[in-house]
Amino acid sequence: MGKYVIAGNWKMNKTPAEATALINEIKPLVADAACDVVVGVPFVDLPAALAAVEGTKIGVAAQNCHWEKSGAYTGEISAEMLAAMGVGYVILGHSERRTYFGDTDETVQKRMRAALDAGLTVILCVGEYLTQREQGVTNEVVAMQTKIALGGVSAEEMARVIIAYEPVWAIGTGLTATNEQANEVCAMIRTTIAGLYDQAVADAVTVQYGGSMNAGNAAALLAQSDVDGGLIGGASLKAADFAVIVGAAK
Ligand code: 13P
């Protein structure tokens, strides 16, 4: 459906020197990738990552941004700052930010607006908690997260939005959604996009799966009709594993 994008979310891992080393290891392994490849690194690693990917097609993502351009927000980083240094992508609404750092659908929407205004491409994370899946409200939760985050986003801007379906219970747990579960929710997200915009926008949007995707299960997940890529946590910290996942995205 959408263009395949494999993105690593390194979370709070790697010093700048380690980031350079890991990207240098990844580079030759993904040189002839058939998909877009992105590394999502900690803020302090961004200069090292940007330098390391120079001359390649690998994109660099930050893992969050604030919604204001500048101001009295101690400890925060604006979308403008990221764009000014040459960063192309930002991950927004990750469940770890929603769970531990108070991000809500409303703040995700504000971050989305700022990121798109700054020219960034957004990887928007959505996904249900285990209790929500057990209560049968996965579709409702994920559709609501998607709709609120995309409030005010135009059809043209959707060309710079990637959606990552990440069931919270599958993140870092070794538990993966089944191929069918992943495809079902990714397809539902696409239907939601069709409802907000039109079928052309829905067909063009990249919908990734994330949650314990690894070298062993990636090919089957990526073969699903509505799964257009992956957002990879743990396995993105191992060059060989990440490369296998990139190779599976055709
Ligand atoms: P894991 O691949 O470690 O489960 O993490 C997934 C994730 O949260 C990517 O954003």
Side-chain angles (χ1 to χ4, degrees):
M1 282 274 183
K3 180 175 58 173
Y4 274 86
V5 181
I6 300 294
N9 175 8
W10 292 10
K11 310 191 180 184
M12 195 175 74
N13 290 289
K14 305 294 178 186
T15 64
E18 290 167 347
T20 301
L22 179 54
I23 291 170
N24 283 339
E25 240 189 295
I26 290 171
K27 275 196 290 197
L29 304 178
V30 305
D32 51 7
C35 62
D36 286 359
V37 179
V38 178
V39 289
V41 306
F43 286 126
V44 295
D45 293 350
L46 289 169
L50 288 165
V53 302
E54 223 176 289
T56 76
K57 288 188 290 184
I58 301 173
V60 173
Q63 299 173 8
N64 188 28
C65 70
H66 195 265
W67 52 85
E68 295 291 346
K69 287 191 166 84
S70 62
Y73 303 100
T74 303
E76 293 297 311
I77 303 284
S78 75
E80 304 282 316
M81 292 171 180
L82 298 174
M85 68 188 298
V87 171
Y89 297 80
V90 63
I91 299 168
L92 293 180
H94 192 280
S95 68
E96 286 150 16
R97 295 222 60 89
R98 295 178 192 256
T99 302
Y100 306 134
F101 303 107
D103 230 345
T104 64
D105 289 330
E106 287 70 29
T107 58
V108 172
Q109 183 191 78
K110 287 160 69 169
R111 295 180 205 281
M112 170 76 76
R113 182 72 266 143
L116 292 173
D117 285 347
L120 301 175
T121 293
V122 174
I123 300 176
L124 166 68
C125 301
V126 295
E128 81 286 2
Y129 288 100
L130 183 58
T131 48
Q132 294 171 326
R133 176 162 284 271
E134 289 170 347
Q135 287 163 348
V137 294
T138 296
N139 286 351
E140 287 88 340
V141 167
V142 173
M144 183 175 76
Q145 291 172 334
T146 304
K147 287 182 186 177
I148 296 176
L150 295 177
V153 175
S154 71
E156 292 69 37
E157 287 172 328
M158 282 302 291
R160 287 189 287 120
V161 176
I162 293 165
I163 300 178
Y165 167 54
E166 300 208 305
V168 182
W169 48 273
I171 294 177
T173 57
L175 280 177
T176 314
T178 64
N179 300 328
E180 293 71 26
Q181 286 171 329
N183 197 50
E184 190 178 306
V185 181
C186 288
M188 187 281 298
I189 290 170
R190 206 180 299 283
T191 304
T192 302
I193 303 291
L196 291 173
Y197 303 95
D198 57 30
Q199 196 58 46
V201 171
D203 288 345
V205 73
T206 295
V207 184
Q208 299 174 318
Y209 168 78
S212 300
M213 193 187 266
N214 58 44
N217 61 26
L221 284 160
L222 294 168
Q224 301 303 306
S225 58
D226 280 282
V227 178
D228 309 319
L231 185 56
I232 324 298
S236 73
L237 298 170
K238 296 179 202 129
D241 290 24
F242 188 61
V244 169
I245 299 169
V246 168
K250 304 200 173 81

